[in-house]
Amino acid sequence: MSGAVRLVLGDQLSRNLASLRRLDKTQDVVLLAEVMAEATYVPHHPQKIAFLFSAMRHFAEELRAGGIKVDYIRLDDPDNTGTLGGELSRAIARHGATRAIVTFPGEWRVWKQMRQWQQDFAVPVEVKEDDRFFCPIARFRSWADGRKQLRMEFFYREMRRDYKILLTSDGQPEGGQWNFDAENRKSLPKGLKIPQPYREEPDAVTTEVLALVAERFKGHFGKLDGFFYAVTAAGAERALDHFIRHCLPLFGDYQDAMAMGQETLFHSILSPYINAGLLDPRRVVDAAEQAWRQGHAPLNAAEGFIRQILGWREYVRGIYWLKMPGYADTNALNAHRPLPDFYWTGRTDMNCLAQVIRQTERLAYAHHIQRLMVTGTFALLAGVDPHELHEWYLSVYADAYEWVELPNTVGMSQFADGGLLASKPYAASGAYINRMSNYCGTCRYDVKQRTGPNACPFNPLYWDFIARHREKIGGNPRMAQMVRTYDKFADAEKARIAESAAAVLAKL
Ligand code: FAD
Ligand code: DLZ
Ligand code: SF4
């Protein structure tokens, strides 16, 4: 053979992938490899591993059905070297290939490996740009160049203009505003009918993978029972259809709400599919815009949803590639507390945290506000080391890859980048969780008490956080008010706050 080996990674399962273009069916071979190094560089949730392995196996079958030669290495193949580089090198030799073609990866770690392959391998390794995003990395760099502040909102408006999304014929934002977030913070009314999340029963391929994963990844946090993810592009398209029909109309209104036993509410659960390449983000944005244009969903819902994908998702990727590798080590608030054990067990009396962590264990899913304002805010207030927290988020969610997880954790949730990404720290007392959820009603702690053994731990930690970081955050107009409120507390109250916060931290 004098063709190419074309490597497709587990999160590159797209038929239009750059490294699959201009493929010569007579000469080229597509390589997919299940490898221990990728499955264990953090202890991924077993459902994430099962989802990816099953999706990889289905993708390989689809390529074969299209007449493409596929070399598929299973995790339990006796000669499996356990690394992507080892498998690519073996495949080049096995097929006598004259070059390798890969697509730019989603993690700095893998990018470093690819550059090493370019040096070490006897054949050229071509790296193609990953153009499954709206915004090329170079385009983000030029947007960021020379700006003092890199606010998502301004980036998002450029994306709306570039791609003519939700624009009037004369280029203005539909509805006269770019952003309808003010309408999107409703708490859940009693009796509201909540749609069931989309689910698919495991087929024979998934069932086989689930057995393999159960056997090989026993020590990883997370359950496998009840696995419901779709594992093909067709399944992901059905999940999109379900979301547009049943959830999008109320997505905006209840975007920030949380409720016991209602883990997914009006969220889409599309991130695992979009991030693995089974669903094109352009298709998702288009479907949401069409739903609004056809009168099926209100503008606040369609705009709010589109902003998550066209705005936040593209923006965090831009930040990741702009700021790596240093971004992973930022720690502006000097936080060094080890991650509390209960993040891996859910065993805590704090009901909000117990609910979100146990749900994560069952589903490999939590929606944005659960990640940001429950597990994220608690870690921020407690001063947990952002790197430890980052490894937790990267492990436990089915949609987690460093390019999207790291900026959300280190930047948005922990303010560890000193405010590059978020305009203020997402610090909040128990009052926020009480307003947006029903977790507090059955909690052992009292959300109304600020201090003392029965006070909601978020409360003293919140005021202690304000006191601890007043120098760093007091200059921010949105935080200055809270610093002033703290300053007005009597000294005895300040002492009680410090004592209660210390007691909470000592118990961790
Ligand atoms: P929906 O609420 O239905 O939103 C629609 C889509 O918008 C999502 O599918 C996703 O593709 C995109 N989106 C929404 N918010 C964001 C965001 N902040 N950044 C990037 N894309 C966004 N998202 C990931 O995809 N992978 C991660 O590893 C990840 N880690 C996170 C860690 C923390 C600490 C926080 C605060 C957020 C994280 N997010 C991550 C963002 C967000 O929480 C998830 O994208 C969302 O919860 C996925 O659920 P959904 O598909 O139901 O989203
Ligand atoms: C996450 C993951 C896992 C669990 N396993 C594999 C694998 O066995 N083979 C593979 O090609 N990719 C896997 N992935 C996805 C990669 O980790 C991902 O492609 C890189 O982190 C770059 O984003
Ligand atoms: Fe969480 Fe505090 Fe409410 Fe308990 S009282 S659920 S700890 S916010």
Side-chain angles (χ1 to χ4, degrees):
M1 160 187 172
S2 58
V5 172
R6 296 167 180 265
L7 175 66
V8 174
L9 302 178
D11 56 353
Q12 297 182 337
L13 307 178
S14 314
R15 285 303 296 268
N16 70 343
L17 190 71
S19 55
L20 292 178
R21 288 181 207 145
R22 285 181 287 281
L23 180 145
D24 180 342
K25 287 186 181 173
T26 61
Q27 308 242 34
D28 296 351
V29 173
V30 174
L31 173 70
L32 290 112
E34 298 168 4
V35 294
M36 267 322 240
E38 291 309 302
T40 56
Y41 68 90
V42 289
H44 301 287
H45 195 298
Q47 289 194 35
K48 177 181 178 185
I49 304 176
F51 162 65
L52 277 188
F53 284 6
S54 181
M56 286 167 71
R57 292 182 185 196
H58 281 92
F59 188 71
E61 280 317 310
E62 284 173 29
L63 293 179
R64 283 189 185 120
I68 294 170
K69 282 188 218 147
V70 179
D71 196 354
Y72 193 97
I73 309 300
R74 289 179 175 227
L75 191 77
D76 47 11
D77 279 351
D79 297 329
N80 189 331
T81 54
T83 65
L84 292 171
E87 285 318 294
L88 181 57
S89 163
R90 276 202 318 133
I92 291 167
R94 195 163 51 244
H95 299 290
T98 53
R99 60 192 178 128
I101 305 177
V102 301
T103 303
F104 191 77
E107 302 198 345
W108 183 269
R109 178 184 63 81
V110 181
W111 172 225
K112 260 194 345 201
Q113 293 174 23
M114 286 183 174
R115 282 185 298 184
Q116 200 60 46
W117 303 343
Q118 288 178 318
Q119 288 181 13
D120 294 350
F121 289 0
V123 300
V125 178
E126 288 168 37
V127 182
K128 304 279 186 196
E129 178 171 355
D130 188 352
D131 53 12
R132 297 172 300 163
F133 292 85
F134 285 92
C135 184
I137 292 168
R139 164 85 174 89
F140 190 86
R141 274 185 202 282
S142 61
W143 173 77
D145 198 28
R147 275 171 201 265
K148 277 208 198 98
Q149 287 200 314
L150 302 180
R151 290 285 164 258
M152 194 290 292
E153 189 61 33
F154 298 116
F155 168 77
Y156 164 62
R157 290 178 194 178
E158 289 213 7
M159 289 292 103
R160 290 264 300 270
R161 287 198 193 94
D162 280 9
Y163 291 94
K164 303 195 175 26
I165 291 166
L166 292 179
L167 290 192
T168 60
S169 51
D170 58 351
Q172 296 306 308
E174 290 288 3
Q177 281 168 234
W178 291 102
N179 179 318
F180 293 85
D181 242 5
E183 296 172 34
N184 289 357
R185 297 190 184 114
K186 297 193 178 78
S187 47
L188 222 50
K190 279 208 175 76
L192 183 72
K193 194 168 174 291
I194 313 281
Q196 288 298 310
Y198 180 73
R199 47 184 313 133
E200 290 203 353
E201 289 308 315
D203 64 3
V205 173
T206 304
T207 304
E208 191 185 356
V209 165
L210 288 170
L212 171 80
V213 172
E215 165 69 24
R216 298 293 292 274
F217 302 97
K218 284 198 178 87
H220 290 204
F221 165 90
K223 297 192 188 317
L224 270 175
D225 335 325
F227 180 94
F228 68 91
Y229 289 102
V231 288
T232 59
E237 182 67 29
R238 288 189 289 270
L240 171 64
D241 184 59
H242 176 93
F243 167 72
I244 299 284
R245 269 172 207 274
H246 303 292
C247 308
L248 180 65
L250 290 180
F251 173 87
D253 287 3
Y254 304 114
Q255 197 179 340
D256 288 1
M258 300 177 278
M260 289 212 286
Q262 301 288 356
E263 291 98 350
T264 51
L265 291 173
F266 297 92
H267 291 272
S268 68
I269 330 175
L270 291 176
S271 50
Y273 311 129
I274 305 174
N275 295 351
L278 296 180
L279 195 54
D280 189 323
R282 287 163 285 222
R283 163 86 191 102
V284 180
V285 165
D286 184 53
E289 176 163 7
Q290 289 317 315
W292 170 69
R293 291 204 181 279
Q294 289 159 12
H296 171 66
L299 187 53
N300 71 307
E303 187 283 316
F305 179 72
I306 286 172
R307 177 156 26 90
Q308 306 312 312
I309 295 176
L310 181 67
W312 280 112
R313 185 171 185 273
E314 297 289 324
Y315 169 80
V316 297
R317 177 173 184 257
I319 293 281
Y320 179 79
W321 289 108
L322 188 69
K323 295 293 173 186
M324 280 302 278
Y327 200 70
D329 301 319
T330 50
N331 193 352
L333 297 182
N334 216 3
H336 296 291
R337 185 173 302 283
L339 185 70
D341 283 348
F342 68 72
Y343 274 73
W344 297 110
T345 63
R347 280 198 289 273
T348 166
D349 285 344
M350 290 179 272
N351 190 39
C352 52
L353 282 154
Q355 294 291 334
V356 172
I357 293 166
R358 295 214 172 109
Q359 149 187 348
T360 299
E361 190 178 23
R362 264 186 294 113
L363 306 176
Y365 175 84
H367 70 66
H368 187 65
I369 292 300
Q370 295 176 312
R371 298 186 206 195
L372 185 65
M373 301 305 295
V374 179
T375 43
T377 293
F378 186 81
L380 173 73
L381 300 181
V384 169
D385 185 318
H387 197 79
E388 284 203 19
L389 188 71
H390 146 61
E391 292 200 336
W392 184 78
Y393 281 109
L394 188 57
S395 307
V396 303
Y397 291 114
D399 58 17
Y401 305 91
E402 205 180 78
W403 66 267
V404 52
E405 175 278 328
L406 188 76
N408 269 298
T409 302
V410 156
M412 188 185 305
S413 151
Q414 300 301 296
F415 207 69
D417 63 5
L420 175 78
L421 196 144
S423 53
K424 69 173 189 61
Y426 279 95
S429 68
Y432 177 86
I433 293 177
N434 194 31
R435 190 165 64 250
M436 297 315 299
S437 80
N438 59 3
Y439 295 143
C440 302
T442 47
C443 184
R444 168 235 176 287
Y445 294 106
D446 182 351
V447 72
K448 301 268 190 258
Q449 291 187 37
R450 192 185 292 146
T451 58
N454 294 324
C456 162
F458 282 73
N459 294 344
L461 287 183
Y462 172 71
W463 290 110
D464 191 57
F465 176 90
I466 300 286
R468 260 191 350 261
H469 297 299
R470 54 177 306 137
E471 303 302 328
K472 283 196 178 116
I473 61 176
N476 181 317
R478 295 166 74 189
M479 297 305 288
Q481 174 61 35
M482 303 322 290
V483 173
R484 280 197 296 277
T485 305
Y486 175 81
D487 286 343
K488 284 188 201 141
F489 288 154
D491 286 347
E493 181 65 357
K494 286 180 183 163
R496 278 193 293 273
I497 287 171
E499 195 186 322
S500 291
V504 170
L505 295 175
K507 271 212 254 166
L508 299 179

